[in-house]
């Protein structure tokens, strides 16, 4: 479960600007502030089922945006490459290797 | 006019996955293949006005996505930093400077 939650949190980070205020609010309460569906339902004065449906629909939207724009996937690839570059610098590797990785970074966009 | 066209082309690159097939098709014909509104209207068998409205609406959508996600803006910042890193490597600058720029790259995501 943790992996899925981490993934949703990242997707929310990348795509929250494309959500409605209500979607953002439910997602924040559920995923960031760890409220239960029952608590969100009470606070928002809508049924538990409506909150659940909204959150599930929002998760699908986030997945669909990721399938189209791959922002999270590219972020992971970039982070990975940047860490390798830092390691190469720390180990004082040749700049040829660094330039190769910098070019890989450029091609990611 | 060239600048605006270049910008639209970039925005189209970054966000075309979020457009409908029809929007993508008109944008490709108009911006990439340089068809006139009249030609697109004939080829698509819709009025010139309908093509024009669709393209203008799509341009607004692209601008609105950019205002929310800043993909083009971040791409420019990243490209800029990567070029500086390459230059520093070519000039054999200290790795402290390189690490500073790598950290700036990390913070962009």
């Amino acid at each position: 479960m943790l992996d899925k939650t981490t993934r949703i949190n990242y997707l929310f980070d990348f795509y929250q600007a494309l959500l409605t205020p209500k979607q953002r609010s439910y997602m924040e309460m559920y995923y960031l502030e760890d409220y239960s569906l029952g608590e969100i339902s009470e606070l928002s004065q809508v049924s538990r089922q409506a909150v659940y449906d909204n959150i599930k629909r929002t998760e699908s939207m986030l997945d669909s945006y990721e399938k189209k724009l791959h922002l999270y996937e590219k972020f992971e690839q970039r982070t990975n490459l940047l860490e390798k570059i830092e390691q190469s610098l720390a180990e004082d590797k040749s700049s040829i290797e660094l330039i190769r990785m910098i070019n890989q970074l450029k091609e990611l966009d």
Side-chain angles (χ1 to χ4, degrees), chain A:
Chain A
M1 280 307 284
L2 185 67
D3 273 1
K4 190 175 177 292
T5 304
T6 308
R7 181 180 159 79
I8 291 285
N9 271 313
Y10 268 110
L11 295 185
F12 181 66
D13 261 7
F14 285 112
Y15 302 109
Q16 60 170 298
L18 302 177
L19 303 177
T20 66
K22 195 170 80 177
Q23 288 177 314
R24 259 202 301 275
S25 154
Y26 289 169
M27 291 295 282
E28 275 169 6
M29 285 195 267
Y30 191 66
Y31 280 106
L32 305 181
E33 295 158 31
D34 200 36
Y35 282 99
S36 70
L37 292 173
E39 286 166 334
I40 301 172
S41 146
E42 268 184 46
L43 286 164
S44 315
Q45 300 193 295
V46 294
S47 72
R48 192 181 174 288
Q49 186 63 40
V51 175
Y52 177 81
D53 290 345
N54 188 293
I55 289 175
K56 286 295 141 193
R57 224 175 12 251
T58 307
E59 288 177 4
S60 299
M61 279 179 69
L62 294 176
D63 271 325
S64 151
Y65 283 131
E66 175 62 13
K67 279 201 186 83
K68 289 173 178 165
L69 297 178
H70 312 283
L71 298 187
Y72 176 44
E73 186 190 331
K74 285 180 182 177
F75 160 76
E76 285 207 309
Q77 291 172 332
R78 244 191 316 266
T79 304
N80 196 10
L81 272 164
L82 286 168
E83 272 163 19
K84 280 188 193 161
I85 291 176
E86 282 181 314
Q87 210 181 335
S88 293
L89 278 171
E91 292 167 2
D92 222 2
K93 288 245 178 84
S94 79
S95 58
I96 294 163
E97 186 145 337
L98 289 172
I99 289 164
R100 195 180 51 78
M101 289 189 285
I102 287 163
N103 284 328
Q104 279 179 279
L105 272 176
K106 278 189 177 171
E107 278 160 23
L108 267 182
D109 260 313

